[in-house]
Amino acid sequence: PSPAPDAPGCTVFLRNLPFDATRTTLFGLLKSFGHVKSIYIVKDRATGVSKGTAFATFSYKEAADRCLEAGKVAEDTPFARAKDAAFDANASNLGLVLEGRRVLVDAAVDKKTASDLKVERDEDGKAIKSVGKDRRFLYLKNEGNVKDWSSMTNLEQSKRQSAQQDKTTKLRSPLFFVNPTRLSFRNLSREVDEKTLKKTVVKALTEGLGKVNKDDLVNLLKAKGEDPRLAADAPEPFDSKNVKKFLPSLHIDREVLEKDGKKTVGASRGFAFVDFAHHEHALAVLREANFNPRYSGLAAHSKAKGEQVMGSDGKPKKPCLIVEFVVENKVKSEKQRKKREEKEGNRTKQRMEKGKKAKEDKKSRGQKQREKKRKAAQGLGEDNGTDGGSGGAAPVAPDGEDEAPPPPAAKRGKKAVDAKQKKPKRKVKDAEDVEFEKMVEKYKSGFEAKGGEVAEDDGKNKKKKKKGEGGRWFE
């Protein structure tokens, strides 16, 4: 067949390639299918690191078809590595394997068709079924990327490249996700403290809310799997008088110094983390403060030798902050969330106890005395088992019968305590009873006098007299 370089179907798209794969290694893999005209490895523009994909163009459509046929593998085919005992290089169901990785082959299409046919796959190349939402918020991973690096300092370029590589590596694992309400600040000056950073975040939030629109709110609802029609028309308004409500946490990572067995907090490490109550607020701060020369006063200035001070436009290069959404581990993030909730609960409990103590201290002297008496009276009633009554002995059942039940306890309270403290009233006697008692006492005294002593009782005091002293008429 005659060469048809511009004919459709001559280009294939390779995925799941090793990140260190080169054009030479790919040519060795594809040359058996036919004449390879060109190979293009897709790389990240910011970091220059391979994305694990490539385009290969054959001179003939038949060669591309043979490559597609060889790369066909059933989705449920188990993956066998080269070091496994079950690995057979000549097996027909392995597809294309390069350096122990299964290479997935698809026909190359234009950008629009590719976006419609895009299928997410896991590390083994199996298609991930769409559940209608982005559980890991991966659509935010490129938020904050800068295309033009010419105006950056060398120090900032190295830090941005390192951050991008670290983010890409973490997101390969399904355990990591992009936190939509937490930002990281890199390239931060070591002299910046929490108060200064907080003021800067509030300023960036106030000025950056205009850079957030309804489409951003719709994208968040889609990622959560919620109805995008519920999105608000404008972001949540920010109240600068209640900063704690909108910025729950702000933390600057610092060095920990240990001296004489005691740990102390040292200087800043140059990066910080800020938590937001709303995603749109975090997005506003990122779009306002990231790579903005207006906030260069908080950025770290390079002290390296040979640092290029002037840019290509003849203006001096200013260091800028690197602001990105934080990539976190799901398990660790859940533990940290529970720890924060527990700590906040303890703080709330301490505040309540402190307020209760302050309320106690504000009581007057009379209030404290009355409360003290009331507690003492309640304690006395509980110890005695009763709260009132004459305090007499408990009734005893006669022999041969069960023990009588105790009398019902009176209601505790101020009246019961007062009744317990009051003395019982004296019984009023009639005149006849008084005369009768006097006669009986007089009669008893006559008998006792015969024994050698005379006892006189005037009703109040008792006196003993010897016989013959002040005898009575009948003695």
Side-chain angles (χ1 to χ4, degrees):
S2 60
D6 298 331
C10 293
T11 305
V12 295
F13 181 59
L14 309 176
R15 293 180 289 108
N16 200 38
L17 297 174
F19 290 95
D20 57 349
T22 62
R23 296 174 62 188
T24 304
T25 55
L26 291 178
F27 178 79
L29 178 69
L30 304 176
K31 65 180 182 180
S32 60
F33 304 112
H35 184 267
V36 180
K37 182 179 179 182
S38 64
I39 295 176
Y40 174 75
I41 298 178
V42 181
K43 297 183 179 180
D44 187 90
R45 292 183 180 180
T47 62
V49 179
S50 170
K51 291 185 176 182
T53 58
F55 291 92
T57 303
F58 291 89
S59 299
Y60 307 99
K61 185 179 182 300
E62 291 77 7
D65 293 340
R66 286 193 291 268
C67 181
L68 289 171
E69 186 66 25
K72 284 185 178 180
V73 180
E75 294 290 344
D76 57 349
T77 303
F79 179 70
R81 296 173 296 180
K83 62 181 181 180
D84 295 340
F87 178 79
D88 183 8
N90 298 323
S92 59
N93 62 341
L94 286 179
L96 296 179
V97 178
L98 180 62
E99 297 181 5
R101 294 178 68 94
R102 176 185 295 158
V103 179
L104 304 173
V105 186
D106 291 310
V109 294
D110 55 24
K111 290 185 178 181
K112 185 180 183 306
T113 308
S115 61
D116 296 339
L117 299 176
K118 184 178 179 181
V119 178
E120 293 186 1
R121 299 177 181 270
D122 56 15
E123 294 180 344
D124 293 338
K126 294 182 179 180
I128 300 176
K129 295 182 180 180
S130 176
V131 293
K133 56 184 176 181
D134 181 8
R135 296 178 181 270
R136 300 167 61 194
F137 300 96
L138 296 180
Y139 79 98
L140 295 171
K141 66 180 179 180
N142 294 325
E143 189 71 42
N145 286 356
V146 180
K147 297 180 180 180
D148 185 13
W149 288 33
S150 60
S151 58
M152 292 185 189
T153 62
N154 295 340
L155 177 63
E156 185 179 350
Q157 289 182 13
S158 63
K159 287 184 177 181
R160 282 189 179 273
Q161 186 173 3
S162 175
Q164 184 67 22
Q165 290 177 351
D166 181 64
K167 182 196 300 185
T168 305
T169 303
K170 287 181 177 179
L171 290 178
R172 290 174 190 160
S173 171
L175 294 177
F176 287 86
F177 72 103
V178 180
N179 192 333
T181 58
R182 195 178 195 198
L183 294 180
S184 66
F185 287 74
R186 298 174 186 262
N187 201 33
L188 197 66
S189 175
R190 293 179 178 268
E191 286 74 23
V192 176
D193 56 2
E194 283 79 359
K195 185 177 181 180
T196 305
L197 180 60
K198 189 174 183 179
K199 289 183 178 179
T200 304
V201 172
V202 171
K203 178 183 176 182
L205 175 54
T206 305
E207 298 182 2
L209 273 179
K211 299 180 180 181
V212 180
N213 51 37
K214 186 177 180 179
D215 293 338
D216 299 313
L217 305 179
V218 170
N219 292 334
L220 180 67
L221 291 179
K222 287 182 178 179
K224 291 182 177 180
E226 301 177 6
D227 188 356
R229 293 175 295 179
L230 301 177
D233 295 331
E236 182 75 18
F238 174 68
D239 184 9
S240 58
K241 295 181 180 180
N242 192 4
V243 178
K244 186 66 177 178
K245 177 182 177 182
F246 298 94
L247 303 178
S249 173
L250 185 148
H251 170 71
I252 295 179
D253 193 75
R254 297 181 179 275
E255 297 176 353
V256 180
L257 306 177
E258 187 171 357
K259 185 177 181 181
D260 299 333
K262 296 182 180 179
K263 294 183 178 180
T264 57
V265 180
S268 169
R269 295 180 185 269
F271 58 91
F273 301 95
V274 181
D275 291 305
F276 295 84
H278 304 280
H279 164 68
E280 53 265 34
H281 293 171
L283 189 61
V285 173
L286 187 152
R287 292 177 177 176
E288 171 65 20
N290 180 56
F291 194 58
N292 192 339
R294 293 175 55 194
Y295 300 90
S296 60
L298 278 70
H301 292 260
S302 175
K303 297 181 181 179
K305 294 182 180 180
E307 174 69 41
Q308 185 178 358
V309 179
M310 305 300 292
S312 57
D313 54 357
K315 296 181 181 180
K317 293 183 177 181
K318 291 184 178 181
C320 298
L321 295 176
I322 303 173
V323 186
E324 295 178 325
F325 284 106
V326 178
V327 177
E328 295 182 339
N329 186 298
K330 291 182 180 180
V331 179
K332 291 184 179 180
S333 178
E334 184 66 19
K335 289 182 179 179
Q336 291 176 357
R337 184 187 64 80
K338 291 182 179 179
K339 191 175 181 180
R340 285 195 299 269
E341 290 180 353
E342 184 178 356
K343 185 184 263 187
E344 186 62 28
N346 293 337
R347 288 178 181 173
T348 304
K349 186 177 180 181
Q350 290 176 0
R351 285 196 296 266
M352 293 177 61
E353 292 178 353
K354 188 176 180 180
K356 187 177 180 181
K357 186 177 179 182
K359 189 176 180 181
E360 293 285 339
D361 295 340
K362 289 182 180 179
K363 289 183 179 179
S364 64
R365 183 179 177 184
Q367 288 176 331
K368 292 180 180 179
Q369 289 180 350
R370 287 192 293 272
E371 186 174 358
K372 186 176 180 181
K373 288 181 181 180
R374 185 176 70 252
K375 289 182 179 180
Q378 291 176 354
L380 181 64
E382 290 175 0
D383 293 341
N384 292 342
T386 59
D387 294 318
S390 60
V396 181
D399 297 340
E401 296 183 8
D402 295 337
E403 183 179 356
K411 291 184 178 180
R412 295 189 176 99
K414 186 176 181 180
K415 293 182 179 181
V417 174
D418 293 344
K420 185 177 180 67
Q421 293 178 352
K422 290 181 180 179
K423 294 181 179 180
K425 295 181 179 180
R426 294 183 179 182
K427 186 178 179 181
V428 180
K429 299 180 180 180
D430 344 353
E432 294 180 359
D433 294 340
V434 174
E435 290 295 332
F436 180 76
E437 288 180 0
K438 286 184 178 181
M439 185 179 65
V440 172
E441 290 294 333
K442 186 175 180 181
Y443 185 74
K444 286 182 180 179
S445 300
F447 284 101
E448 292 176 356
K450 297 179 182 181
E453 294 183 355
V454 179
E456 289 184 358
D457 187 0
D458 57 358
K460 292 182 180 179
N461 300 324
K462 291 183 178 181
K463 297 181 181 179
K464 293 183 179 181
K465 296 183 179 181
K466 292 184 179 180
K467 187 177 180 180
E469 297 180 359
R472 301 188 183 188
W473 61 270
F474 56 80
E475 293 176 352

